[in-house]
Amino acid sequence: MGSSELKRAALEQSQKQRSQLDKALEERARKKRDDERVQSERANQRAEWMARERLRREKQRALDQERIEMQKDAQKRREAAARAAEKAAIEKAVGRTAKRAPALDKARSVAVQHRSQVRRPRETVTALTREEKRMKRMAKDMGVPFRPQKVRVRSDASEAAPSQVHTLAPRRQNAREEFIAQERRRKELRHQQREEEDEEEDEDSDEDDVEPGPSHASIRDQIWQLFGRNRQAYMARDIDSDDDMEAGADAVLREELRSSAFGRREDEREEQHLLEEKRRKQNALH
C-alpha cells in the first residue's frame, strides 16, 4: 500500500471523526436547548401555580374573616335579643310601666325632692297577702325592687285616728284580660239564663201535673243518690272556669327564652345558607 492511499485513508478517517464530533456537538446543543426549554416551562408553571395558590389563600382568608364577622354580628344580635327578652320578662313580672319622657322624669325628680323636704306621715307595716309574698320572692330573685299594691299610712298628729289606705290607680286591662272578663260575664249570664229556664220548666211542669207527686228534679236527685252521687253539687260546679288561663312570670320568661333560642337557630341556619350560596357562586366562577 502506497503513501497516497494511507494519506487518503487518514483523511477520510479524520473527516469521519470530525463529522461524528459535529453531530455529537449538535446533539448536545439540542439537548441543552430542550433542557432549558423544559426548565423554563416548569418555572412558568410553578410561578402560575404559586400565583393561583396565593390568590386562593387570600380568598379563603377573606371568606374566613367574613364568616367570623358574621358570627360575631349574629352573636351580638342573639345577646341583645336575650337581654331584651329578659328585661321585658322582668318588667312584665313586676308590672313596670313604659319609659317616661325626660320632662316627666324631671317633674318626678322635682316632686320627689319636694316630698323629701316636707314632713311625711309614718308608714306602718302591714301583712302581705300570699300573692304579694310570691311577687316579693320573685322580685328578690330577679334583683328588682318590690312595690306592694297597698300602703297603710298613719298620721303622727293623731295616733288614735284610723289608718288611711291609699290604693294605687287600677291598671289598665290589656286585650287578653278584657276578653277573659267578657267571656266570664257571658258565661255567668248564660248560666243565669239556664237557671231561669229550668225554673220556668219546673213551674210549667208543676202546673201541668194533675196528680200530686214528686217533681222531676227530686226524682233525678234520688236516682243520683242511689249511685252515691250528689246531683246538685255536680250541676253547681263551674266547668268553664278561666282561673288557669293567667300566665305567671316564670311561664313568660320560659316562653321568651324559648323564642330567643328559636331565633338563634333561625339565624344560624340563615348564615349557613348564605355561606353555602356564596361558596357555590365562587366555585361556579372558578
Side-chain angles (χ1 to χ4, degrees):
M1 181 180 293
S3 60
S4 60
E5 293 179 357
L6 290 174
K7 289 180 180 179
R8 191 181 303 110
L11 183 60
E12 291 177 357
Q13 185 68 24
S14 63
Q15 289 178 356
K16 187 182 293 185
Q17 290 178 357
R18 185 177 296 173
S19 63
Q20 290 178 357
L21 182 60
D22 293 338
K23 288 180 181 180
L25 291 174
E26 290 178 359
E27 185 69 21
R28 186 179 298 175
R30 186 178 61 79
K31 287 183 178 180
K32 187 176 181 180
R33 288 194 300 271
D34 293 341
D35 293 340
E36 290 177 355
R37 182 174 55 80
V38 171
Q39 289 179 1
S40 64
E41 289 179 357
R42 288 181 179 177
N44 293 332
Q45 291 178 358
R46 183 175 180 81
E48 292 177 358
W49 178 81
M50 291 180 67
R52 288 196 302 269
E53 186 67 18
R54 191 182 304 108
L55 183 61
R56 187 186 65 80
R57 289 180 180 178
E58 290 177 357
K59 289 182 179 180
Q60 185 65 29
R61 192 180 299 110
L63 287 176
D64 294 340
Q65 187 68 21
E66 186 176 359
R67 181 173 56 82
I68 292 172
E69 293 294 334
M70 291 176 65
Q71 290 179 356
K72 288 182 179 179
D73 294 340
Q75 183 67 20
K76 289 180 181 179
R77 289 197 300 270
R78 288 194 294 268
E79 291 177 357
R83 287 195 298 269
E86 185 177 0
K87 184 177 179 181
I90 292 173
E91 290 180 354
K92 189 172 183 179
V94 301
R96 187 177 297 173
T97 58
K99 188 176 180 181
R100 295 185 176 88
L104 293 177
D105 292 337
K106 184 176 180 181
R108 184 181 180 185
S109 62
V110 172
V112 170
Q113 185 178 3
H114 178 70
R115 285 198 300 269
S116 63
Q117 296 175 359
V118 178
R119 186 177 181 182
R120 300 179 62 185
R122 186 175 58 187
E123 297 182 357
T124 59
V125 180
T126 58
L128 300 177
T129 61
R130 183 179 299 176
E131 184 67 20
E132 289 176 347
K133 290 180 180 179
R134 186 179 68 83
M135 294 297 293
K136 185 176 181 180
R137 289 195 300 270
M138 188 182 300
K140 183 178 180 181
D141 295 338
M142 293 181 179
V144 296
F146 173 70
R147 299 176 182 177
Q149 297 294 330
K150 296 182 180 180
V151 179
R152 298 183 181 273
V153 181
R154 179 174 295 179
S155 177
D156 293 335
S158 59
E159 293 292 338
S163 61
Q164 300 177 358
V165 179
H166 295 273
T167 59
L168 299 177
R171 184 173 61 86
R172 184 178 180 182
Q173 294 182 349
N174 53 20
R176 180 174 178 274
E177 294 175 350
E178 291 179 358
F179 175 75
I180 293 173
Q182 291 177 2
E183 287 294 321
R184 187 177 289 111
R185 288 193 297 269
R186 184 176 61 81
K187 291 175 182 177
E188 291 177 357
L189 181 60
R190 185 175 59 186
H191 185 65
Q192 293 178 0
Q193 291 177 356
R194 288 180 180 176
E195 289 181 352
E196 292 176 358
E197 291 177 358
D198 292 339
E199 291 178 358
E200 291 178 358
E201 290 179 358
D202 293 338
E203 291 177 359
D204 294 339
S205 61
D206 292 338
E207 292 176 357
D208 294 338
D209 290 339
V210 178
E211 297 180 358
S215 62
H216 294 285
S218 61
I219 293 174
R220 287 195 291 268
D221 293 340
Q222 292 176 5
I223 294 173
W224 278 62
Q225 289 177 3
L226 291 176
F227 292 97
R229 303 288 296 277
N230 188 356
R231 179 176 174 274
Q232 296 296 333
Y234 180 79
M235 296 298 292
R237 69 189 184 93
D238 188 7
I239 61 175
D240 296 330
S241 178
D242 296 331
D243 296 338
D244 57 346
M245 293 180 65
E246 295 293 337
D250 297 335
V252 173
L253 184 58
R254 285 196 300 271
E255 184 65 25
E256 294 292 341
L257 294 176
R258 190 182 300 109
S259 300
S260 61
F262 181 75
R264 286 196 299 272
R265 288 196 295 270
E266 289 292 332
D267 293 339
E268 291 175 358
R269 283 198 291 267
E270 187 67 22
E271 291 174 6
Q272 189 68 21
H273 180 67
L274 292 175
L275 290 175
E276 290 178 358
E277 288 291 334
K278 185 176 291 185
R279 194 177 296 110
R280 192 179 299 109
K281 290 181 180 179
Q282 290 177 356
N283 293 332
L285 292 175
H286 289 296

